[in-house]
Amino acid sequence: MKTDVVIIGAGPAGLMLGHLLHQAGIGIVILERKSAAHVLSRIRAGVLEQVTVDLIDQLGLGDRMHKEGLPHDGFFLADGARLIHINMTELAGHNVMIYGQTEVTRDLMDACDARGVDVIYEAEDVSLHDVNSDTPSVTYRKNGVEHRLNARFIAGCDGFHGPSRQVIPASVGKAYERVYPFGWLGILADVPPCHEELIYANHANGFALASMRSKTRARYYIQVPLTERVEDWPDDRLWDELALRLGPETAEHMTRGPALEKSIAPLRSFVFEPMRYGSLFLAGDSAHIVPPTGAKGLNLASSDVAYLSKALIQFFKKGLSEGIDTYSQTALARVWKSERFSWTLTTLMHRFPNEGEFGRRVQIAELDYIAGSRAAQTTIAENYIGLPL
Ligand code: RFL
Ligand code: PHB
């Protein structure tokens, strides 16, 4: 079979890119290793920047998001009992949208069926060939049968562990990485959230986050050492620890309930350069990872895909290659700014075992400075709503 672009991965990056190219009349096939149900079962992001909202609207798929999503004008940084409000709308002129990655993915998947976007789920042994030529191909196995897809380009939207990045020779690519000595233990529960807005808390025991998916579904996280296992945290212990770290005022409004999902995710900062090698483009988590503190991962996948779709449409429709030639540089400039912000907020809000009491006092001083400085709050708000494309 032959198509214009083979997209590897049906996460948010692959599905959004697939729709954008299909809408422009470019031939695409999306190959996904897992089943659709498995992709939807992963509980991940919750906060959408305007970039992501705009892309979904551009695809004409924003109806449910605008109906069910919760626009948030601000969020809180907590330090003990004190809540510092960051009013994004007032300080930076924009809000964010609370709408789960699961729902974004579901809307994109449903529209694939409706619009005839070709997604092949449970594609095994996906392998890339001749990526440094104008005639790359991808092979895979489905139901025991081998297939080959010839294409003009391949888009590697296959997440951090996918095969795309691996085919770029070590002499060409370079990875920049910081691994943090802790992870986030998350709990999802059908209880009303404790507050109308998100609360990021710095506590002597470690970080905690109060988030939500809707007015009836709460999402919370706590920082835990990487040695912890989910089994170490029965629901009661986790709720007690959340109440402690979020502070007495918030705890008073926290409703407890059985966990629908509980999992531990390690925290990492990672950037791979360049994001193009020959006929292969990387987009989303395949090229970069941010710690979730800044809520940037899904939104960076969106900005990559916004740049890449525009570049590929220029190439196929106008014969112009400037967009694809500058894709890596353009995308990376935005990626590094989100990396910087995510790292800064992670550093400010988490307990670092090696930083001791001095490190914690510096964090408290910085939070105190933020509480009293409109300039500092504006910097945080501007980055949180997302930098312009
Ligand atoms: P994904 O979502 O990982 O999708 C990649 C897809 O590729 C498939 N794949 C393969 N397919 C074929 N062959 C192979 N060999 C393959 N190998 C892999 C996978 O099965 C998968 O379906 O990457 P993508 O599309 O780049 O999207 C990135 C986002 O998922 C990620 O950045 C966010 O979830 C990060 N993130 C957050 N981002 C935000 O913008 N806001 C948030 O509030 C936010 N919170 C979070 C998060 C991530 C978290 N975890 C668990 C990592 C909270 C958490 C806890
Ligand atoms: C979430 O709701 O899952 C969430 C929200 C904000 C973050 C990270 C995760 O910064």
Side-chain angles (χ1 to χ4, degrees), residues 44-47 184 198 200 209 211-213 219 221 292-295 384:
R44 289 187 170 177
V47 180
W184 278 17
L198 270 58
Y200 294 80
L209 169 61
S211 180
M212 67 193 75
R213 287 292 174 276
R219 178 73 165 159
Y221 298 93
T293 325
Y384 197 89

Side-chain angles (χ1 to χ4, degrees), residues 132-160:
N132 200 19
S133 77
D134 290 348
T135 52
S137 64
V138 179
T139 52
Y140 66 98
R141 198 158 26 100
K142 169 88 184 174
N143 298 328
V145 182
E146 299 283 342
H147 299 267
R148 177 180 291 273
L149 276 168
N150 296 309
R152 176 64 191 86
F153 293 111
I154 300 172
C157 303
D158 44 0
F160 184 66

Side-chain angles (χ1 to χ4, degrees), residues 46-50 53 65 68-76 85-99 193-200 209-219 295 381 384-386:
V47 180
L48 308 185
E49 290 176 2
Q50 196 59 35
V53 171
M65 173 180 69
E68 295 176 17
L70 306 171
H72 277 197
D73 290 322
F75 64 92
F76 292 89
H85 192 228
I86 308 292
N87 190 327
M88 295 180 277
T89 308
E90 191 193 304
L91 295 166
H94 231 293
N95 58 11
V96 294
M97 176 78 90
I98 303 299
Y99 190 64
C194 60
H195 201 289
E196 281 183 5
E197 294 182 338
L198 270 58
I199 302 173
Y200 294 80
L209 169 61
S211 180
M212 67 193 75
R213 287 292 174 276
S214 69
K215 292 198 162 144
T216 56
R217 182 168 282 189
R219 178 73 165 159
Y384 197 89
I385 61 162

Side-chain angles (χ1 to χ4, degrees), residues 8-14 31-34 38-39 42-48 101 123 125-126 157-163 184 213 219 221 263 265-266 283-286 288-290 292 294-301:
I8 307 178
L31 295 176
E32 166 60 50
R33 187 164 60 107
K34 302 285 188 182
H38 183 276
V39 173
R42 298 189 290 229
I43 307 298
R44 289 187 170 177
V47 180
L48 308 185
Q101 178 168 334
D125 286 337
V126 171
C157 303
D158 44 0
F160 184 66
H161 300 286
W184 278 17
R213 287 292 174 276
R219 178 73 165 159
Y221 298 93
S263 55
D285 279 15
S286 68
H288 40 75
I289 297 287
V290 284
K296 293 283 168 243
L298 167 60
N299 296 304
L300 277 182

Side-chain angles (χ1 to χ4, degrees), residues 171-327:
S171 57
V172 174
K174 183 162 168 53
Y176 301 84
E177 186 170 38
R178 173 154 306 177
V179 177
Y180 300 87
F182 42 73
W184 278 17
L185 166 61
I187 180 171
L188 185 72
D190 271 336
V191 292
C194 60
H195 201 289
E196 281 183 5
E197 294 182 338
L198 270 58
I199 302 173
Y200 294 80
N202 178 322
H203 185 274
N205 282 12
F207 170 79
L209 169 61
S211 180
M212 67 193 75
R213 287 292 174 276
S214 69
K215 292 198 162 144
T216 56
R217 182 168 282 189
R219 178 73 165 159
Y220 291 93
Y221 298 93
I222 58 165
Q223 169 189 354
V224 293
L226 285 171
T227 45
E228 304 279 289
R229 296 165 312 151
V230 173
E231 302 82 73
D232 300 330
W233 289 90
D235 291 2
D236 282 343
R237 180 180 178 208
L238 181 45
W239 289 116
D240 287 346
E241 189 63 25
L242 277 164
L244 183 72
R245 294 191 192 181
L246 289 167
E249 203 187 312
T250 304
E252 214 177 288
H253 299 102
M254 196 175 80
T255 311
R256 300 176 180 219
L260 299 173
E261 193 260 4
K262 220 184 322 180
S263 55
I264 296 180
L267 264 62
R268 184 193 298 273
S269 294
F270 175 88
V271 181
F272 185 87
E273 295 185 350
M275 288 171 63
R276 176 192 182 184
Y277 174 62
S279 296
L280 169 67
F281 300 94
L282 302 179
D285 279 15
S286 68
H288 40 75
I289 297 287
V290 284
T293 325
K296 293 283 168 243
L298 167 60
N299 296 304
L300 277 182
S302 304
S303 55
D304 287 355
V305 156
Y307 294 130
L308 182 56
S309 59
K310 202 167 153 207
L312 287 170
I313 292 167
Q314 272 181 0
F315 178 88
F316 282 108
K317 298 296 164 189
K318 301 210 172 109
L320 299 174
S321 52
E322 195 200 334
I324 58 172
D325 290 342
T326 53
Y327 165 69

Side-chain angles (χ1 to χ4, degrees), residues 91-145:
L91 295 166
H94 231 293
N95 58 11
V96 294
M97 176 78 90
I98 303 299
Y99 190 64
Q101 178 168 334
T102 310
E103 306 313 318
V104 171
T105 309
R106 194 190 309 279
D107 293 344
L108 291 165
M109 280 181 176
D110 289 351
C112 285
D113 296 339
R115 296 181 179 188
V117 173
D118 203 359
V119 191
I120 297 167
Y121 289 98
E122 297 175 311
E124 295 172 76
D125 286 337
V126 171
S127 310
L128 300 84
H129 309 276
D130 305 320
V131 293
N132 200 19
S133 77
D134 290 348
T135 52
S137 64
V138 179
T139 52
Y140 66 98
R141 198 158 26 100
K142 169 88 184 174
N143 298 328
V145 182

